[in-house]
Amino acid sequence: MKVLVTGGAGFIGCNIAARKILENHEVVVFDNLSRRGTEENLRWLRTLGPLEFVRGDVRSASDVTALFRNHPDIEVVYHMAAQAAVTTSVENPREDFEVNALGTFNVLEAVRQSPRRPVLVFASTNKVYGGMEDVAVVEVDGRYEYRDHPDGIREDRTLDFHSPYGCSKGCADQYVRDYARIYGLETITFRQSCIYGRRQFGLEDQGWVAWFTIQAVLDRPVTIFGDGKQVRDMLFIEDLLDAYDRAVEKRDVTRGKIYNMGGGPRNKMSLHDLIAYLERLTGREMKVSYDRWRPGDQPVFVANLDLARQDFGWEPRTSPEEGVEQLYQWVSDHAKVILDLGL
Protein backbone atom coordinates (compact mmCIF):
# COMPACT_ATOMS: atom_id res chain seq x y z
CA MET A 1 0.00 0.00 0.00
CA LYS A 2 0.89 3.64 -0.19
CA VAL A 3 0.45 5.24 3.21
CA LEU A 4 0.68 8.80 4.49
CA VAL A 5 1.62 9.60 8.08
CA THR A 6 0.96 13.18 9.15
CA GLY A 7 3.17 14.02 12.11
CA GLY A 8 5.25 11.12 10.84
CA ALA A 9 8.42 12.21 12.61
CA GLY A 10 6.73 12.37 16.02
CA PHE A 11 6.60 9.54 18.52
CA ILE A 12 3.59 7.56 17.31
CA GLY A 13 3.98 8.71 13.72
CA CYS A 14 7.57 7.55 13.32
CA ASN A 15 6.74 4.16 14.80
CA ILE A 16 3.91 3.77 12.27
CA ALA A 17 6.22 4.84 9.44
CA ALA A 18 8.94 2.45 10.61
CA ARG A 19 6.56 -0.52 10.65
CA LYS A 20 5.25 0.30 7.18
CA ILE A 21 8.74 0.78 5.74
CA LEU A 22 9.82 -2.58 7.11
CA GLU A 23 6.68 -4.15 5.60
CA ASN A 24 7.77 -2.74 2.22
CA HIS A 25 4.87 -0.33 1.87
CA GLU A 26 5.35 3.01 0.12
CA VAL A 27 5.54 5.59 2.90
CA VAL A 28 5.07 9.36 2.81
CA VAL A 29 5.95 11.27 5.98
CA PHE A 30 4.48 14.77 6.40
CA ASP A 31 5.78 16.86 9.30
CA ASN A 32 6.83 20.44 10.11
CA LEU A 33 9.62 19.18 12.41
CA SER A 34 8.67 21.69 15.10
CA ARG A 35 8.90 19.34 18.05
CA ARG A 36 12.22 18.44 19.61
CA GLY A 37 13.30 14.98 18.56
CA THR A 38 11.49 14.91 15.22
CA GLU A 39 14.63 15.50 13.16
CA GLU A 40 16.33 12.68 15.05
CA ASN A 41 13.37 10.39 14.39
CA LEU A 42 13.42 11.28 10.71
CA ARG A 43 17.14 10.46 10.48
CA TRP A 44 16.41 7.10 12.06
CA LEU A 45 13.56 6.39 9.64
CA ARG A 46 15.84 7.01 6.67
CA THR A 47 18.13 4.21 7.89
CA LEU A 48 15.30 1.68 7.65
CA GLY A 49 14.50 1.97 3.96
CA PRO A 50 13.02 4.27 1.33
CA LEU A 51 10.50 6.91 2.30
CA GLU A 52 9.38 10.25 0.96
CA PHE A 53 9.51 13.16 3.37
CA VAL A 54 7.37 16.24 2.75
CA ARG A 55 7.92 19.19 5.03
CA GLY A 56 4.70 21.02 5.65
CA ASP A 57 2.11 22.08 8.20
CA VAL A 58 -1.42 20.74 8.64
CA ARG A 59 -2.53 24.26 9.54
CA SER A 60 -1.85 25.29 5.93
CA ALA A 61 -4.65 24.22 3.61
CA SER A 62 -2.36 24.82 0.64
CA ASP A 63 0.33 22.54 2.11
CA VAL A 64 -2.18 19.75 2.69
CA THR A 65 -3.92 20.20 -0.66
CA ALA A 66 -0.59 20.07 -2.49
CA LEU A 67 0.40 16.96 -0.56
CA PHE A 68 -2.68 15.04 -1.71
CA ARG A 69 -2.54 16.48 -5.22
CA ASN A 70 1.00 15.15 -5.58
CA HIS A 71 0.03 11.78 -4.09
CA PRO A 72 -3.41 10.89 -5.48
CA ASP A 73 -2.80 7.17 -4.91
CA ILE A 74 -2.58 7.24 -1.09
CA GLU A 75 -4.63 4.37 0.34
CA VAL A 76 -4.34 4.91 4.11
CA VAL A 77 -3.79 8.14 6.05
CA TYR A 78 -2.59 8.00 9.65
CA HIS A 79 -3.37 11.47 11.00
CA MET A 80 -1.05 11.88 13.98
CA ALA A 81 -0.04 15.54 13.58
CA ALA A 82 -1.15 17.36 16.72
CA GLN A 83 -0.46 19.78 19.52
CA ALA A 84 -0.46 17.24 22.32
CA ALA A 85 -0.03 19.07 25.66
CA VAL A 86 -2.77 20.46 27.89
CA THR A 87 -0.40 23.03 29.39
CA THR A 88 0.61 24.35 25.96
CA SER A 89 -3.05 24.64 24.98
CA VAL A 90 -3.72 26.80 28.03
CA GLU A 91 -0.76 29.04 27.23
CA ASN A 92 -1.53 29.33 23.50
CA PRO A 93 -5.11 28.26 22.76
CA ARG A 94 -5.13 29.71 19.23
CA GLU A 95 -2.16 27.62 18.11
CA ASP A 96 -3.70 24.58 19.77
CA PHE A 97 -6.97 25.11 17.90
CA GLU A 98 -5.28 25.71 14.57
CA VAL A 99 -3.13 22.57 14.78
CA ASN A 100 -5.71 20.17 16.19
CA ALA A 101 -9.08 21.39 14.89
CA LEU A 102 -8.22 23.32 11.73
CA GLY A 103 -5.40 20.92 10.85
CA THR A 104 -7.72 17.93 11.07
CA PHE A 105 -10.36 19.75 9.02
CA ASN A 106 -7.75 20.41 6.31
CA VAL A 107 -6.81 16.74 6.23
CA LEU A 108 -10.45 15.65 6.10
CA GLU A 109 -11.17 17.96 3.19
CA ALA A 110 -8.14 16.65 1.30
CA VAL A 111 -9.21 13.05 1.93
CA ARG A 112 -12.76 13.84 0.82
CA GLN A 113 -11.51 15.32 -2.45
CA SER A 114 -8.90 12.64 -3.09
CA PRO A 115 -9.76 10.27 -5.97
CA ARG A 116 -8.83 7.22 -3.86
CA ARG A 117 -10.85 8.27 -0.78
CA PRO A 118 -8.21 6.73 1.53
CA VAL A 119 -8.94 5.21 4.92
CA LEU A 120 -8.27 7.77 7.67
CA VAL A 121 -6.98 6.62 11.06
CA PHE A 122 -7.23 9.48 13.57
CA ALA A 123 -5.51 9.74 16.94
CA SER A 124 -7.97 11.38 19.34
CA THR A 125 -7.64 11.42 23.12
CA ASN A 126 -9.36 10.43 26.36
CA LYS A 127 -9.35 14.15 27.19
CA VAL A 128 -12.56 14.48 25.16
CA TYR A 129 -14.27 13.10 28.29
CA GLY A 130 -13.07 16.06 30.36
CA GLY A 131 -12.28 15.88 34.06
CA MET A 132 -15.01 13.25 34.65
CA GLU A 133 -15.88 14.84 37.98
CA ASP A 134 -19.19 12.95 38.09
CA VAL A 135 -17.48 9.52 38.05
CA ALA A 136 -17.07 8.11 41.55
CA VAL A 137 -13.44 7.42 42.47
CA VAL A 138 -12.15 5.59 45.53
CA GLU A 139 -8.65 5.14 46.88
CA VAL A 140 -7.42 1.54 47.07
CA ASP A 141 -3.88 0.65 48.22
CA GLY A 142 -2.59 4.17 47.59
CA ARG A 143 -4.00 4.63 44.10
CA TYR A 144 -7.30 5.85 42.64
CA GLU A 145 -9.82 3.41 41.14
CA TYR A 146 -13.27 3.71 39.62
CA ARG A 147 -15.96 2.73 42.09
CA ASP A 148 -18.53 1.70 39.47
CA HIS A 149 -16.57 0.97 36.27
CA PRO A 150 -14.35 -2.07 36.89
CA ASP A 151 -14.01 -2.69 33.14
CA GLY A 152 -13.18 0.92 32.29
CA ILE A 153 -14.90 3.72 30.39
CA ARG A 154 -16.98 2.92 27.31
CA GLU A 155 -17.22 4.94 24.10
CA ASP A 156 -20.79 6.04 24.90
CA ARG A 157 -19.50 8.14 27.79
CA THR A 158 -20.78 11.75 27.48
CA LEU A 159 -18.23 14.12 25.99
CA ASP A 160 -17.24 17.06 28.19
CA PHE A 161 -14.20 18.89 26.84
CA HIS A 162 -12.08 20.45 29.59
CA SER A 163 -9.13 22.69 28.63
CA PRO A 164 -8.44 24.15 25.19
CA TYR A 165 -6.70 20.88 24.28
CA GLY A 166 -9.82 18.88 25.09
CA CYS A 167 -11.88 21.31 23.02
CA SER A 168 -9.61 21.25 19.97
CA LYS A 169 -9.21 17.47 19.95
CA GLY A 170 -12.90 17.00 20.69
CA CYS A 171 -13.79 19.26 17.77
CA ALA A 172 -11.53 17.22 15.50
CA ASP A 173 -12.91 13.96 16.90
CA GLN A 174 -16.46 14.96 16.00
CA TYR A 175 -15.51 16.29 12.57
CA VAL A 176 -13.90 12.94 11.76
CA ARG A 177 -17.00 11.10 12.92
CA ASP A 178 -19.35 13.24 10.87
CA TYR A 179 -17.25 13.16 7.71
CA ALA A 180 -17.82 9.41 7.84
CA ARG A 181 -21.56 9.89 8.31
CA ILE A 182 -22.11 12.73 5.85
CA TYR A 183 -19.52 12.03 3.15
CA GLY A 184 -19.05 8.30 3.56
CA LEU A 185 -15.34 8.49 4.39
CA GLU A 186 -13.73 5.41 5.89
CA THR A 187 -12.56 6.95 9.15
CA ILE A 188 -11.49 5.16 12.33
CA THR A 189 -11.03 7.21 15.50
CA PHE A 190 -8.99 6.10 18.51
CA ARG A 191 -9.53 7.97 21.78
CA GLN A 192 -6.13 7.16 23.17
CA SER A 193 -5.07 6.93 26.77
CA CYS A 194 -1.45 6.62 27.94
CA ILE A 195 0.65 5.58 24.91
CA TYR A 196 4.36 5.08 25.56
CA GLY A 197 7.40 3.40 24.06
CA ARG A 198 10.62 3.71 22.13
CA ARG A 199 11.49 6.97 20.35
CA GLN A 200 9.28 8.98 22.69
CA PHE A 201 11.15 12.13 23.64
CA GLY A 202 8.78 12.91 26.50
CA LEU A 203 8.52 16.32 28.13
CA GLU A 204 7.27 17.40 31.52
CA ASP A 205 3.94 18.55 30.10
CA GLN A 206 3.32 15.62 27.74
CA GLY A 207 4.45 12.00 27.55
CA TRP A 208 4.81 11.48 31.29
CA VAL A 209 5.94 7.84 31.17
CA ALA A 210 8.84 8.69 28.88
CA TRP A 211 9.60 11.86 30.83
CA PHE A 212 9.81 10.02 34.14
CA THR A 213 11.94 7.33 32.49
CA ILE A 214 14.34 9.89 31.01
CA GLN A 215 14.67 11.62 34.37
CA ALA A 216 15.30 8.30 36.10
CA VAL A 217 18.03 7.28 33.66
CA LEU A 218 19.72 10.68 33.92
CA ASP A 219 19.29 10.78 37.72
CA ARG A 220 17.32 14.01 37.64
CA PRO A 221 14.34 15.11 39.77
CA VAL A 222 10.69 14.91 38.71
CA THR A 223 7.67 16.97 39.69
CA ILE A 224 4.31 15.28 40.20
CA PHE A 225 1.33 17.53 39.47
CA GLY A 226 -1.27 16.27 41.92
CA ASP A 227 -0.72 13.67 44.59
CA GLY A 228 0.77 10.84 42.52
CA LYS A 229 -2.18 8.52 43.09
CA GLN A 230 -3.52 9.21 39.58
CA VAL A 231 -3.94 6.04 37.53
CA ARG A 232 -3.67 5.51 33.77
CA ASP A 233 -4.02 2.41 31.66
CA MET A 234 -0.72 2.20 29.84
CA LEU A 235 -0.50 1.00 26.25
CA PHE A 236 2.84 0.11 24.65
CA ILE A 237 3.40 1.54 21.18
CA GLU A 238 3.64 -1.84 19.42
CA ASP A 239 0.25 -2.86 20.81
CA LEU A 240 -1.26 0.39 19.53
CA LEU A 241 0.16 -0.25 16.05
CA ASP A 242 -1.34 -3.75 16.12
CA ALA A 243 -4.71 -2.16 16.86
CA TYR A 244 -4.32 0.24 13.94
CA ASP A 245 -3.44 -2.61 11.59
CA ARG A 246 -6.35 -4.78 12.63
CA ALA A 247 -8.84 -1.92 12.50
CA VAL A 248 -7.76 -1.03 8.95
CA GLU A 249 -7.97 -4.66 7.88
CA LYS A 250 -11.50 -4.85 9.32
CA ARG A 251 -12.63 -1.51 7.96
CA ASP A 252 -15.87 -3.01 6.69
CA VAL A 253 -16.74 -3.22 10.42
CA THR A 254 -14.71 -0.34 11.90
CA ARG A 255 -15.40 2.41 9.36
CA GLY A 256 -17.01 5.44 10.94
CA LYS A 257 -16.51 4.11 14.46
CA ILE A 258 -14.75 5.40 17.57
CA TYR A 259 -12.71 3.24 19.93
CA ASN A 260 -11.35 3.93 23.40
CA MET A 261 -7.76 2.79 23.22
CA GLY A 262 -5.51 2.12 26.18
CA GLY A 263 -4.06 -0.68 28.21
CA GLY A 264 -7.39 -1.53 29.82
CA PRO A 265 -8.02 -2.68 33.39
CA ARG A 266 -5.15 -5.19 33.39
CA ASN A 267 -2.45 -2.69 32.38
CA LYS A 268 -2.63 0.29 34.69
CA MET A 269 -0.19 2.12 36.92
CA SER A 270 -0.29 5.13 39.17
CA LEU A 271 2.42 7.77 39.00
CA HIS A 272 3.80 6.42 42.27
CA ASP A 273 3.78 2.88 40.84
CA LEU A 274 5.85 3.97 37.85
CA ILE A 275 8.37 5.81 40.04
CA ALA A 276 8.75 2.75 42.27
CA TYR A 277 9.34 0.52 39.24
CA LEU A 278 11.90 2.91 37.75
CA GLU A 279 13.70 2.95 41.10
CA ARG A 280 13.94 -0.84 40.87
CA LEU A 281 15.38 -0.62 37.37
CA THR A 282 17.96 2.06 38.23
CA GLY A 283 18.75 0.84 41.72
CA ARG A 284 18.44 4.33 43.17
CA GLU A 285 15.76 6.54 44.69
CA MET A 286 14.23 9.25 42.52
CA LYS A 287 13.98 12.83 43.75
CA VAL A 288 10.29 13.76 43.69
CA SER A 289 8.50 17.05 44.40
CA TYR A 290 4.81 17.95 44.14
CA ASP A 291 2.80 20.78 42.58
CA ARG A 292 -0.89 21.55 42.16
CA TRP A 293 -3.14 19.51 39.88
CA ARG A 294 -3.30 20.46 36.22
CA PRO A 295 -6.64 21.57 34.69
CA GLY A 296 -8.83 18.71 33.52
CA ASP A 297 -6.49 16.03 34.88
CA GLN A 298 -8.56 12.92 35.48
CA PRO A 299 -7.78 11.09 38.76
CA VAL A 300 -8.27 7.86 36.81
CA PHE A 301 -8.61 6.92 33.20
CA VAL A 302 -8.97 3.31 32.14
CA ALA A 303 -10.42 2.42 28.74
CA ASN A 304 -13.02 -0.27 28.28
CA LEU A 305 -11.65 -2.38 25.41
CA ASP A 306 -14.74 -4.49 24.72
CA LEU A 307 -15.62 -2.79 21.43
CA ALA A 308 -12.11 -3.16 20.01
CA ARG A 309 -12.04 -6.78 21.13
CA GLN A 310 -15.42 -7.40 19.53
CA ASP A 311 -14.87 -5.56 16.23
CA PHE A 312 -11.29 -6.46 15.35
CA GLY A 313 -10.17 -9.06 17.85
CA TRP A 314 -7.51 -6.95 19.55
CA GLU A 315 -6.21 -6.64 23.08
CA PRO A 316 -2.89 -5.51 24.59
CA ARG A 317 -0.08 -8.04 24.90
CA THR A 318 2.59 -5.97 26.69
CA SER A 319 2.41 -5.44 30.46
CA PRO A 320 3.43 -2.04 31.86
CA GLU A 321 6.50 -3.65 33.46
CA GLU A 322 7.62 -5.20 30.16
CA GLY A 323 6.96 -2.03 28.20
CA VAL A 324 8.64 0.32 30.66
CA GLU A 325 11.69 -1.95 30.78
CA GLN A 326 11.96 -1.73 26.97
CA LEU A 327 11.57 2.05 27.12
CA TYR A 328 14.12 2.25 29.93
CA GLN A 329 16.63 0.30 27.83
CA TRP A 330 16.02 2.53 24.81
CA VAL A 331 16.47 5.71 26.87
CA SER A 332 19.67 4.28 28.40
CA ASP A 333 21.03 3.50 24.92
CA HIS A 334 20.13 6.98 23.62
CA ALA A 335 21.04 9.12 26.64
CA LYS A 336 23.57 11.17 24.65
CA VAL A 337 21.01 11.92 21.93
CA ILE A 338 18.50 12.99 24.58
CA LEU A 339 21.04 15.28 26.22
CA ASP A 340 22.03 16.75 22.86
CA LEU A 341 18.37 17.59 22.23
CA GLY A 342 18.29 19.56 25.48
CA LEU A 343 15.68 17.36 27.12
Side-chain angles (χ1 to χ4, degrees):
M1 294 190 300
K2 185 170 186 177
V3 303
L4 165 66
V5 189
T6 72
F11 160 48
I12 296 176
C14 81
N15 277 282
I16 297 170
R19 177 176 287 203
K20 297 308 169 187
I21 290 168
L22 294 174
E23 291 174 346
N24 295 316
H25 296 297
E26 190 176 350
V27 177
V28 180
V29 167
F30 181 79
D31 204 297
N32 67 2
L33 301 181
S34 61
R35 185 181 173 97
R36 279 188 292 183
T38 49
E39 293 189 19
E40 172 62 28
N41 283 339
L42 182 59
R43 279 193 291 271
W44 170 69
L45 285 174
R46 293 189 191 279
T47 69
L48 303 179
L51 68 88
E52 180 177 350
F53 172 64
V54 179
R55 187 162 188 164
D57 198 311
V58 292
R59 291 173 290 186
S60 168
S62 60
D63 281 3
V64 176
T65 299
L67 173 68
F68 279 79
R69 183 175 61 244
N70 294 332
H71 300 89
D73 52 346
I74 291 169
E75 297 172 70
V76 182
V77 176
Y78 297 91
H79 180 39
M80 304 291 124
Q83 191 299 109
V86 171
T87 50
T88 302
S89 79
V90 173
E91 294 165 2
N92 194 339
R94 177 176 293 278
E95 179 182 54
D96 175 78
F97 172 83
E98 290 176 350
V99 174
N100 292 342
L102 177 60
T104 300
F105 175 79
N106 288 337
V107 171
L108 283 167
E109 276 292 276
V111 168
R112 181 173 72 87
Q113 296 171 33
S114 172
R116 286 299 296 265
R117 285 289 190 100
V119 178
L120 175 67
V121 176
F122 174 57
S124 185
T125 173
N126 61 10
K127 293 296 188 289
V128 300
Y129 298 120
M132 301 175 64
E133 291 88 353
D134 62 311
V135 176
V137 170
V138 294
E139 184 179 332
V140 179
D141 296 329
R143 63 181 67 85
Y144 295 126
E145 303 277 356
Y146 293 132
R147 188 188 68 190
D148 305 317
H149 301 276
D151 297 324
I153 300 300
R154 296 169 54 90
E155 291 81 0
D156 57 4
R157 164 78 190 172
T158 301
L159 303 184
D160 182 23
F161 314 145
H162 191 146
S163 81
Y165 173 72
C167 290
S168 66
K169 292 295 285 188
C171 174
D173 180 303
Q174 294 300 285
Y175 257 98
V176 171
R177 183 177 199 178
D178 270 299
Y179 264 59
R181 290 194 283 210
I182 301 302
Y183 299 112
L185 298 189
E186 293 185 321
T187 70
I188 312 167
T189 297
F190 291 90
R191 291 175 180 160
Q192 295 172 184
S193 186
C194 177
I195 314 300
Y196 70 102
R198 293 180 290 267
R199 308 214 69 82
Q200 186 177 23
F201 296 104
L203 301 170
E204 186 174 53
D205 60 353
Q206 194 272 325
W208 68 276
V209 176
W211 175 248
F212 280 20
T213 305
I214 289 168
Q215 298 301 86
V217 169
L218 299 178
D219 194 19
R220 298 192 301 202
V222 295
T223 299
I224 288 177
F225 295 90
D227 56 18
K229 300 174 185 178
Q230 303 100 303
V231 165
R232 296 291 182 269
D233 58 335
M234 294 166 55
L235 184 63
F236 192 58
I237 182 64
E238 294 299 326
D239 289 334
L240 175 67
L241 301 191
D242 288 345
Y244 286 174
D245 286 349
R246 293 195 184 188
V248 170
E249 290 168 6
K250 292 280 192 178
R251 57 186 175 274
D252 57 324
V253 175
T254 61
R255 57 183 295 174
K257 288 191 176 182
I258 293 171
Y259 297 92
N260 286 349
M261 183 56 45
R266 291 186 296 178
N267 296 289
K268 57 190 180 183
M269 271 189 173
S270 72
L271 275 64
H272 283 160
D273 291 337
L274 177 60
I275 287 173
Y277 186 62
L278 289 169
E279 289 176 341
R280 284 174 52 194
L281 291 174
T282 62
R284 59 178 176 259
E285 186 175 346
M286 293 185 68
K287 307 172 189 70
V288 180
S289 60
Y290 294 82
D291 205 336
R292 63 180 178 270
W293 286 74
R294 286 169 167 168
D297 191 10
Q298 302 144 339
V300 184
F301 189 86
V302 177
N304 183 306
L305 306 179
D306 287 349
L307 188 59
R309 193 177 293 115
Q310 168 191 304
D311 282 2
F312 49 93
W314 171 90
E315 56 186 302
R317 296 182 298 173
T318 310
S319 71
E321 291 80 9
E322 293 168 330
V324 170
E325 186 171 0
Q326 290 189 50
L327 174 59
Y328 171 81
Q329 189 58 57
W330 183 84
V331 171
S332 299
D333 293 342
H334 293 79
K336 184 179 184 306
V337 172
I338 290 167
L339 289 168
D340 289 344
L341 289 171
L343 296 176

